[in-house]
Amino acid sequence: MKWVRRLAAISVIMACSAESVLAAGQLNLYNWGNYTSPELIKKFEERYDVTVTVTEYDSNDTALAKIRQGGHGYDMVVPSANVLNVWIDEGLLLESRPDQMTNFKNVDSRWVDVPFDAGRHYSVPWLTGTTGVFVNNSVYNGDPNTSAIFLDPPPELADKLIVVPEMADIMYLAIRYAGGEACTTDLTILKKVRDILAAAKPKWLAVDYGNIDQLVKGDFAGGANWSGPVFRARQQNPNLVYGFPKEGYPIWMDNLAILKDAKNVENAKLFMNFVMQPENAALNSAFAHSANGIKGSEEFMPADMRNAPEVNIPEEYRAAGRFNVACSPEAQALYTKIWTGLLK
């Protein structure tokens, strides 16, 4: 028994020593805008004496283009599930084996053997949520649970809508609204989608991410957006209502990964293991008002998140949601053609 205790003590000392060797230095995180908890960063910096720099991007396309160019200086990135396989296939990510890290046991089992990173050899969950619609019910008090809110808007909402410029999400919503399935290459469906989007766009005030303040102030009466930002805005403006389109909506997950050409690999691995700790994952959730894939994090979240519909999808709307996965190159090319034509 004494031998077992001594061995355990030696293991702890070695683990602490390893952390101290890895501590200190820099870490450069490339992440979505307004999507990283300052409290999480401060806690990590103080624990490991690592200075973290966060640089923000506005879309998966922007991030991928930047990293492909090289010479970026970033260590970590947070790609969405529907594009993560592209990062892996192009050799842009380090096979960091988070599945062998201490805190991997905290990852919810449904987010382990995922199609975009089977067994989690490259990435860990960052945040997850849905893409749906929202309305300000002081302007419109009809049913918000339909993509018609932005694809065939009622008169009250016309010219007062904002639509996020994220091709994968908006194409998903439009395809399902047109009666098609995700990742379809059916040209009949896609022509219908093109026409629906072309007719709807003149009724949009902006194709932009906007910001929380604009939603709170009522600069927009509705639109297509992610669950997290709408929840954050609703806390300040209770007239905002998030809707789950009955025609179908995507469930997304963003994932933390280490870049193949990272300069601070060991610090990046520390951070990856750090965010899999439940209380740390909860800091991110509390900031972005989105769920995460870490078991036990719920008990550390603010009370108002536990029953929020934006975080916990109501039972009656769950069947319409599907996980947003990568489409074939053929489908991607067709969608890009429609999308670029729409934005001209």
Side-chain angles (χ1 to χ4, degrees):
M1 180 63 71
K2 288 182 180 179
W3 178 82
V4 172
R5 289 175 180 170
R6 186 175 301 164
L7 183 60
I10 292 172
S11 298
V12 171
I13 292 170
M14 289 178 65
C16 292
S17 299
E19 282 199 353
S20 64
V21 170
L22 297 176
Q26 306 286 325
L27 179 65
N28 298 302
L29 172 63
Y30 193 35
N31 197 1
W32 293 83
N34 202 24
Y35 203 48
T36 309
S37 164
E39 288 186 67
L40 177 77
I41 297 302
K42 182 180 179 182
K43 184 177 179 181
F44 179 78
E45 288 181 323
E46 291 177 348
R47 178 171 179 180
Y48 293 107
D49 191 26
V50 171
T51 299
V52 180
T53 300
V54 180
T55 304
E56 299 181 342
Y57 54 83
D58 61 4
S59 72
N60 282 301
D61 291 338
T62 297
L64 189 55
K66 180 71 172 179
I67 302 305
R68 279 170 171 164
Q69 291 173 2
H72 46 76
Y74 305 130
D75 299 306
M76 310 191 81
V77 71
V78 188
S80 299
N82 62 299
V83 297
L84 187 65
N85 70 308
V86 175
W87 291 75
I88 295 172
D89 293 345
E90 293 190 15
L92 298 173
L93 301 181
L94 179 72
E95 190 174 6
S96 53
R97 296 309 300 264
D99 59 310
Q100 297 177 2
M101 295 180 180
T102 307
N103 288 329
F104 189 75
K105 63 183 182 293
N106 298 319
V107 177
D108 191 302
S109 58
R110 64 180 172 148
W111 299 118
V112 173
D113 198 23
V114 288
F116 51 87
D117 183 11
R120 292 287 186 175
H121 289 191
Y122 292 88
S123 69
V124 299
W126 183 257
L127 291 170
T128 181
T130 62
T131 306
V133 296
F134 78 96
V135 298
N136 186 320
N137 66 13
S138 69
V139 178
Y140 176 74
N141 59 10
D143 180 16
N145 297 294
T146 171
S147 286
I149 292 297
F150 77 103
L151 292 176
D152 186 17
E156 302 98 310
L157 298 178
D159 304 321
K160 303 172 186 175
L161 299 164
I162 183 169
V163 175
V164 290
E166 189 63 31
M167 180 184 76
D169 290 341
I170 301 305
M171 285 297 296
Y172 186 108
L173 290 168
I175 288 170
R176 294 300 303 274
Y177 185 74
E181 292 297 324
C183 293
T184 185
T185 57
D186 185 325
L187 294 181
T188 300
I189 289 291
L190 293 179
K191 286 177 181 176
K192 186 176 179 181
V193 167
R194 180 198 61 193
D195 293 344
I196 289 172
L197 288 169
K201 190 191 173 190
K203 301 174 184 177
W204 302 345
L205 182 58
V207 181
D208 193 6
Y209 295 96
N211 58 55
I212 304 302
D213 288 342
Q214 289 176 308
L215 300 187
V216 172
K217 290 188 298 183
D219 291 351
F220 305 101
N225 209 322
W226 298 300
S227 50
V230 176
F231 180 22
R232 293 168 72 178
R234 181 174 63 79
Q235 289 185 305
Q236 302 176 61
N237 184 346
N239 289 323
L240 297 177
V241 178
Y242 185 73
F244 299 88
K246 59 190 175 185
E247 302 86 5
Y249 62 88
I251 300 170
W252 50 263
M253 170 168 274
D254 295 324
N255 307 272
L256 180 68
I258 302 174
L259 291 163
K260 186 70 173 287
D261 53 358
K263 298 296 189 294
N264 302 291
V265 172
E266 297 307 321
N267 286 339
K269 288 181 178 179
L270 276 178
F271 188 68
M272 183 174 275
N273 192 54
F274 183 77
V275 301
M276 289 189 285
Q277 192 70 26
E279 57 266 40
N280 297 333
L283 289 175
N284 253 348
S285 284
F287 177 75
H289 291 75
S290 296
N292 62 66
I294 304 302
K295 293 180 297 185
S297 62
E298 299 83 3
E299 64 181 280
F300 299 99
M301 291 183 191
D304 61 0
M305 290 189 66
R306 293 170 192 165
N307 296 313
E310 297 92 343
V311 178
N312 307 281
I313 305 173
E315 183 67 36
E316 61 266 38
Y317 306 128
R318 289 179 185 174
R322 296 286 187 277
F323 199 72
N324 199 5
V325 297
C327 298
S328 68
E330 179 188 1
Q332 288 286 356
L334 291 168
Y335 301 169
T336 300
K337 186 176 181 179
I338 294 172
W339 187 249
T340 53
L342 180 72
L343 299 184
K344 284 182 179 178

